[in-house]
Amino acid sequence: MQKVVVQIVIFVGLFFMTWFSFRQVDWMKNFNIAQKTKSTEEKLGDFIWEALVRAEDEIKDRKIITPVDSLLTRICISNKIDRKKIKLHILNSSEVNAFALPNHHLVVFSGLINESINENELSGVISHELAHIELNHVMKKLVKEVGLSVLLSMTTGSGGEVVKEIVRLISSSAYDRSLETEADLQAVEYMLKSHLNPEALANFLYRLSNNKDDLSKHLDWVSTHPNPEERAETIIDNSHDRKVTFKPVLTKREWEALQKRIEKDN
């Protein structure tokens, strides 16, 4: 009986200790921080994009936007991602690159479209960047490397001098290894659910990392995402033997027309 009483006393003691600890947490403060971070992300993404588009040539040609949008839409619908919240932008640049900004901005360079040999390669890169958006990697990276206070200052108009550095950080600097792996694995799942072949993303990484003739042209996406060969192997390992019937989004003619249009605009 004495043993039971001791156990009850211990249990009650632990209960009140836990209750007291939870009372010390300023839940309203933490909630406000979360709200402030979300508000900051929305303002920051739009602010960075507005600064970026002033310095870059945004493509408005519907014959380029529509097929790329079709790929993005297939991926979003198949994975229950709200397509309306993803803001697709295509920039006229020879750089082989794509990156995500805060507040669901997805930036694709025309050089990436031109370098992709088929829609699956382009879809693979789009899926990877979409994963960064959906997994909240963009803000994690910025808060870690820049700091929330600096990001907040930008949204109030007092941090304009660091916009270029932020853009450089997002577009030309790798995420942590664990985040890159997470985005790759999520991209595989996105593509399989979309009936697109994720091994094309592995082929893209292999091909560009092994291209020695014009390496500088390909450094923007491959070199900023470390260990491309290892990443490619991980992608293949996680997509191999998955019984999925692949279904194209664009016809061969539509894909060729897209690349010709890109070449014409460059």
Side-chain angles (χ1 to χ4, degrees), residues 41-160:
E41 179 178 1
E42 292 173 353
K43 294 178 181 177
L44 185 63
D46 296 342
F47 185 68
I48 294 174
W49 168 246
E50 288 169 5
L52 182 62
V53 77
R54 284 196 295 268
E56 300 287 347
D57 178 21
E58 184 180 12
I59 292 177
K60 300 288 189 178
D61 186 347
R62 296 306 307 177
K63 291 185 178 180
I64 292 175
I65 296 173
T66 298
V68 178
D69 181 79
S70 296
L71 297 175
L72 175 60
T73 299
R74 161 79 77 86
I75 297 165
C76 287
I77 291 176
S78 300
N79 291 277
K80 298 181 180 180
I81 297 170
D82 185 357
R83 172 63 188 89
K84 293 180 181 178
K85 73 180 180 182
I86 308 298
K87 306 171 183 70
L88 175 65
H89 311 288
I90 303 176
L91 296 182
N92 189 11
S93 171
S94 61
E95 294 180 19
V96 181
N97 206 2
F99 55 88
L101 297 176
N103 198 26
H104 304 96
H105 290 274
L106 175 60
V107 182
V108 176
F109 283 51
S110 60
L112 172 64
I113 302 172
N114 189 56
E115 193 63 38
S116 300
I117 63 173
N118 55 47
E119 66 171 28
N120 285 287
E121 288 194 352
L122 179 57
S123 296
V125 178
I126 289 175
S127 294
H128 178 91
E129 297 303 329
L130 190 59
H132 280 315
I133 293 174
E134 291 299 297
L135 297 171
N136 197 34
H137 290 173
V138 185
M139 284 303 292
K140 285 181 181 178
K141 176 184 176 69
L142 289 179
V143 170
K144 178 182 178 181
E145 300 194 24
V146 179
L148 184 58
S149 60
V150 175
L151 299 177
L152 284 169
S153 72
M154 291 178 60
T155 63
T156 60
S158 58

Side-chain angles (χ1 to χ4, degrees), residues 176-194:
D176 290 347
R177 185 186 188 89
S178 61
L179 298 186
E180 288 295 2
T181 299
E182 189 178 9
D184 280 339
L185 295 178
Q186 188 64 65
V188 169
E189 297 305 315
Y190 285 165
M191 295 189 74
L192 288 172
K193 289 182 180 179
S194 304

